[in-house]
Amino acid sequence: MVKISPSVLTADFTKLGEAIKELDFAKTDMLHLDVMDGIFVPNISFGMPVVKSIREITDTILDVHLMIDRPHRYIEEFAKSGADIIGFHTEANSPIEETLDKIHSLGCKTCLTIKPKTPAEEVFPYLNKCDMVLVMSVEPGFGGQSFMEYAPQKIAELKAEIDKLGIICDIEVDGGINA
Ligand code: ZN
């Protein structure tokens, strides 16, 4: 089943509340929140206070994508801010297994994330602790890029491994997605 998780990154932030109400009305499956720190990625977006404000106005699943360095430092704060799914990058200098366990211990779902140049095999050892895996189909950090054509191959490799293990794990694809 295909689920849609629209990102608020391109929204007019002075009208964020209205944009989120429109998405609620459209009944999207979840809301994708791209958190950038200016270190792991060159751009800076928003942090916990914005996640918390969004939580206050919607019941939809908040799918928080941390594009930040050493994300394990902030898991608890994002969980407290109202995140339902917390995603972080294998490339972000956090102890992966420990961070996945921490997310689960706070009652949230995990999403291990890989950049376009990182092979799918990087997440294989952790799949049994992942509720979702996110495959970036653009370089993380900026909205509005085109979908990279080699992403489907990586998605197929992941799907094959998930099926082989017989586990339930969603695959999320992020960046340059259109109809
Ligand atoms: Zn994202």
Side-chain angles (χ1 to χ4, degrees):
M1 186 179 70
V2 174
K3 298 178 193 171
I4 307 286
S5 185
S7 171
V8 300
L9 208 53
T10 50
D12 174 348
F13 273 66
T14 64
K15 299 192 179 88
L16 192 55
E18 287 166 44
I20 286 161
K21 284 196 183 109
E22 273 176 42
L23 292 172
D24 273 348
F25 183 70
K27 293 194 175 5
T28 54
D29 299 289
M30 42 194 176
L31 198 56
H32 189 77
L33 304 179
D34 286 307
V35 176
M36 306 176 187
D37 67 351
I39 295 169
F40 181 69
V41 290
N43 215 349
I44 296 177
S45 61
F46 53 80
M48 288 77 84
V50 171
V51 175
K52 193 163 180 278
S53 302
I54 293 174
R55 174 80 293 161
E56 283 163 13
I57 59 162
T58 181
D59 294 326
T60 197
I61 294 168
L62 297 185
D63 164 29
V64 176
H65 175 192
L66 299 179
M67 286 176 259
I68 65 175
D69 183 52
R70 290 170 289 155
H72 63 282
R73 298 173 297 158
Y74 293 103
I75 299 304
E76 197 157 349
E77 286 180 71
F78 279 102
K80 276 189 194 152
S81 303
D84 296 294
I85 302 169
I86 301 180
F88 67 96
H89 279 261
T90 58
E91 309 91 347
N93 306 311
S94 275
I96 294 175
E97 202 157 340
E98 201 178 297
T99 306
L100 291 167
D101 286 341
K102 174 117 188 159
I103 294 169
H104 276 150
S105 76
L106 292 160
C108 298
K109 291 193 168 174
T110 57
C111 178
L112 195 53
T113 303
I114 48 174
K115 286 184 181 183
K117 291 191 183 95
T118 304
E121 295 82 44
E122 287 286 309
V123 303
F124 288 1
Y126 311 102
L127 277 176
N128 60 340
K129 295 195 172 187
C130 297
D131 298 297
M132 191 154 81
V133 171
L134 194 167
V135 175
M136 291 291 308
S137 43
V138 298
E139 277 301 327
F142 296 94
Q145 301 175 66
S146 303
F147 185 80
M148 291 175 164
E149 294 306 325
Y150 56 81
Q153 171 64 30
K154 208 191 271 192
I155 295 161
E157 287 165 24
L158 255 171
K159 173 80 173 120
E161 185 68 14
I162 288 167
D163 287 348
K164 194 177 102 191
L165 294 171
I167 56 170
I168 294 169
C169 178
D170 284 341
I171 300 173
E172 183 171 38
V173 186
D174 185 2
I177 307 290
N178 56 30

